[in-house]
Amino acid sequence: MHIPLLKSIYFKIRSWDMLVFPCWLIFLCIFHRKRAIVIRRMEALGDVICTLPTCAKLRTTNPSKLVVLVTNRFCSRAVRHSPQVDAVYAAHKSTFTVTKGFFGLVSESYITETLSNVSNSGSTLHLVDDLASSCRLVLEDHQPQLRIPDRLKNAINSKLNLDDHPPLIIINPGPTWPVRNWPSAYWQDLVDRLHAAYSVEILMLGGPRLGKSLDFDCLRGVRNLAG
């Protein structure tokens, strides 16, 4: 008896982006009096953040256009705080794609992809440059930028007891994919060099350890918040 209702809910979710996105984009284009350039990167968070310099490049080379980043709802919460993109759309469906034209609102549409940054011997090209190259772009500025609101900074400071703290450096040694793994001795050398060069507090983040003891859990000079 609930099958029709479930089908109706499923259809609404599936078609949500095609209903909402055009209205949202029409409003933006009219408000800014610009057509849009759309960049799509749905996953993962690090990849989406590494797409921001591509957005910045397109803004610099197309000042008369509105640069819009389409990503998933989780990632959108972070990249909305970037000054390198004009607007961020949080898609409900990972398959949602915006084509060039799109009711005359979109002058160009790009999907950032990894092409050659990972090989059998490891990384050959930084992910930031690799994603840009998939859009046929060469970057001069490679640094992603996020401007975190004071309310979020204050919430983190309170949660971690970081009031009146020195500048923070965050590291995340893993565990992760084999191509990203770095020996714990290298992490320790990095931590030692950072402390020697700067007056900072270093926090170590990471996913759940699932009962495992990892080499970099014993790093000296860090505050271990992994898990």
Side-chain angles (χ1 to χ4, degrees):
M1 135 176 104
H2 299 295
I3 297 297
L5 176 60
L6 293 175
K7 286 185 175 179
S8 175
I9 293 174
Y10 171 76
F11 176 78
K12 288 180 180 179
I13 294 175
R14 185 180 64 179
S15 61
W16 182 264
D17 292 316
M18 290 305 298
L19 294 173
V20 174
F21 181 79
C23 298
W24 177 82
L25 190 61
I26 288 170
F27 172 79
L28 279 182
C29 290
I30 292 176
F31 182 81
H32 292 280
R33 298 182 180 180
K34 297 179 178 180
R35 295 177 71 199
I37 295 176
V38 175
I39 304 96
R40 177 182 178 273
R41 180 71 200 189
M42 287 297 185
E43 72 289 320
L45 179 58
D47 292 22
V48 175
I49 290 176
C50 284
T51 299
L52 291 174
T54 295
C55 297
K57 173 74 173 185
L58 290 169
R59 287 184 74 192
T60 300
T61 55
N62 299 273
S64 64
K65 300 295 191 298
L66 194 70
V67 175
V68 176
L69 176 61
V70 175
T71 187
N72 65 54
R73 300 177 71 184
F74 172 75
C75 294
S76 71
R77 297 170 63 187
V79 292
R80 279 199 177 103
H81 298 299
S82 174
Q84 294 174 301
V85 63
D86 293 314
V88 177
Y89 179 76
H92 285 69
K93 296 288 289 182
S94 61
T95 55
F96 178 63
T97 303
V98 181
T99 58
K100 182 178 179 179
F102 203 81
F103 306 108
L105 300 175
V106 178
S107 61
E108 295 290 341
S109 180
Y110 299 94
I111 298 177
T112 60
E113 300 175 303
T114 53
L115 300 177
S116 61
N117 73 305
V118 177
S119 67
N120 291 333
S121 59
S123 180
T124 59
L125 186 68
H126 195 285
L127 181 59
V128 167
D129 292 305
D130 195 20
L131 293 170
S133 69
S134 72
C135 302
R136 303 178 301 280
L137 297 173
V138 177
L139 301 177
E140 294 78 38
D141 184 356
H142 303 78
Q143 182 64 51
Q145 296 179 23
L146 296 173
R147 292 177 180 167
I148 309 303
D150 288 339
R151 61 180 177 81
L152 294 182
K153 291 180 182 178
N154 293 336
I156 293 298
N157 290 345
S158 176
K159 184 179 181 64
L160 302 180
N161 296 316
L162 296 174
D163 295 331
D164 300 321
H165 60 76
L168 293 176
I169 291 179
I170 314 297
I171 64 172
N172 189 338
T176 183
W177 303 342
V179 73
R180 295 181 177 180
N181 283 339
W182 214 32
S184 59
Y186 290 13
W187 281 109
Q188 187 63 68
D189 182 55
L190 173 63
V191 168
D192 293 342
R193 291 186 184 206
L194 288 171
H195 279 304
Y198 307 103
S199 177
V200 296
E201 181 171 359
I202 301 178
L203 307 184
M204 184 173 76
L205 306 183
R209 296 301 194 236
L210 303 178
K212 297 180 180 179
S213 178
L214 304 172
D215 289 343
F216 40 72
D217 282 334
C218 298
L219 291 181
R220 303 179 305 278
V222 304
R223 181 175 172 188
N224 190 346
L225 299 176

